[in-house]
Amino acid sequence: MATLADLKTPKRNTWCPGCGNFGILMAFKKALVQLDLDRDQVVLVSGIGCHGKMVNYVNVNGFHGIHGRVLPLATGVELANPNLIVVGFAGDADCYDEGWGHFSHAIRKNINITLIVHNNMVLGLTTGQATATSQRGFKTKSTPFGSIPPPLNPIAHALVSNGTFVARGYSGDMTHLTGLIVEAVKHRGFAFLDVFQPCVTFNYLNTHNWFKEKIYKLEEEGHDYTSRQKALEKSLEWGDRIPIGILYREDKSTYRDGFPHVRGVSLTKILTEDVDINPLLERMM
Ligand SMILES: Cc1ncc(C[n+]2csc(CCOP(=O)(O)OP(=O)(O)O)c2C)c(N)n1
Ligand code: SF4
Ligand SMILES: [Mg+2]
């Protein structure tokens, strides 16, 4: 079992002071402690962006992937070894722009992984350009006259893609976010958690105060997360009131369940013990 101290790494943290990423990092570490997991059971995969540094700051196995490809990498890890807990950390540009196609397919296949999206509605690492979740009219280096199209709605999209766990959190409410991460990791199947993560340096619009004025907790208003219809209604709420919490949750068979011969078996074991790859290598030479 890991403690908070065990999860610390010696890497110097380079996030801007006040960045919402700090809240996600601490909430995630607290969730791992609450889940009572050993460090070697957990594999993190991240994309490129400020969020991508998560793998540097949590002392478990980590793979810093390429921009937009968190989900193919995380899927590969899960399918290769079902004994691992796989958590992907993506940015909004990473997942909802460059990696958008992977998002729908990983959800509909119900791959047994958790995806946490650091949704700051801006490209942080590249110093402030608009993303797919930027608000209309948001002026950035790439949108000097304001972002033109309406932002896409990842929560509604996950719901209509047959998502089995769809939730939204806020990095400024660590206790609530920790609880959501615990439930997401415990979920058997694809757990999608979009997290509002203010970028205090490049997003002057969606600030901590902006979120605090608008967000409310679904569980405090008796939301029934077993109804996809009700979840869809909630997913469309945007404006003066924006819901956070679990919108929808359902137990359903996972992609791996469709392959009974490898259920619960690590492919690494099958490959090393039963397959002679030498003839294949010779053919390729
Ligand atoms: C294939 C590829 N395309 C583009 C880039 C340039 N790039 C680096 S980080 C980044 C996006 C960062 O935005 P986001 O995913 O929202 O992460 P944040 O920095 O906001 O956490 C981009 C486009 C890249 N590194 N690789
Ligand atoms: S640029 Fe924005 S997202 Fe990146 S570390 Fe700074 S505040 Fe955080
Ligand atoms: Mg971003």
Side-chain angles (χ1 to χ4, degrees), residues 7-262:
L7 296 172
K8 195 171 161 42
T9 72
K11 297 279 179 203
R12 189 174 66 88
N13 193 307
T14 57
W15 287 329
C16 309
C19 174
N21 282 330
F22 286 103
I24 301 180
L25 176 64
M26 188 43 83
F28 182 68
K29 286 184 182 175
K30 285 186 167 184
L32 287 188
V33 173
Q34 272 186 37
L35 286 160
D36 203 11
L37 295 170
D38 288 329
R39 289 195 303 113
D40 59 3
Q41 280 178 278
V42 182
V43 180
L44 311 185
V45 178
S46 74
I48 304 293
C50 297
H51 67 275
K53 298 174 190 171
M54 285 291 288
V55 296
N56 299 333
Y57 303 148
V58 189
N59 193 12
V60 295
N61 305 292
F63 191 104
H64 201 159
I66 54 172
H67 189 52
R69 305 293 176 255
V70 169
L71 287 173
L73 291 165
T75 299
V77 177
E78 199 286 320
L79 293 182
N81 189 347
N83 302 314
L84 297 170
I85 306 280
V86 187
V87 181
F89 292 96
D92 46 322
D94 187 57
C95 187
Y96 306 145
D97 283 292
E98 192 122 351
W100 184 237
H102 300 301
F103 183 64
S104 318
H105 292 291
I107 292 174
R108 79 182 179 89
K109 288 175 186 160
N110 205 24
I111 308 286
N112 189 21
I113 56 181
T114 296
L115 172 70
I116 298 176
V117 181
H118 299 221
N119 189 358
N120 53 19
M121 306 172 184
V122 73
L123 287 102
L125 192 72
T126 49
T127 71
Q129 295 83 13
T131 70
T133 50
S134 291
Q135 305 296 282
R136 259 184 157 159
F138 181 43
K139 287 189 181 167
T140 67
K141 288 175 183 166
S142 62
T143 54
F145 305 110
S147 188
I148 296 166
L152 59 73
N153 183 334
I155 298 282
H157 191 89
L159 287 166
V160 297
S161 301
N162 284 314
T164 57
F165 183 103
V166 181
R168 187 195 272 140
Y170 167 49
S171 65
D173 189 338
M174 203 189 298
T175 307
H176 186 251
L177 182 58
T178 304
L180 289 177
I181 296 173
V182 167
E183 293 308 313
V185 173
K186 282 192 331 205
H187 179 70
R188 190 175 175 278
F190 192 96
F192 167 52
L193 176 56
D194 179 88
V195 183
F196 290 144
Q197 174 257 310
C199 167
V200 294
T201 303
F202 295 111
N203 194 331
Y204 59 87
L205 196 63
N206 310 105
T207 60
H208 278 290
N209 282 343
W210 190 90
F211 287 114
K212 277 184 196 151
E213 277 167 14
K214 294 170 169 39
I215 54 176
Y216 75 94
K217 291 177 185 148
L218 285 166
E219 58 275 23
E220 289 175 0
E221 301 207 357
H223 171 64
D224 172 13
Y225 62 63
T226 64
S227 160
R228 197 177 291 274
Q229 191 74 32
K230 288 190 177 133
L232 261 170
E233 277 169 32
K234 288 289 170 193
S235 76
L236 300 177
E237 268 184 28
W238 193 268
D240 292 344
R241 300 192 84 225
I242 303 176
I244 60 171
I246 299 177
L247 283 95
Y248 185 72
R249 184 173 202 170
E250 173 190 14
D251 283 331
K252 218 174 181 181
S253 59
T254 68
Y255 191 67
R256 174 178 287 283
D257 294 337
F259 299 95
H261 52 297
V262 293

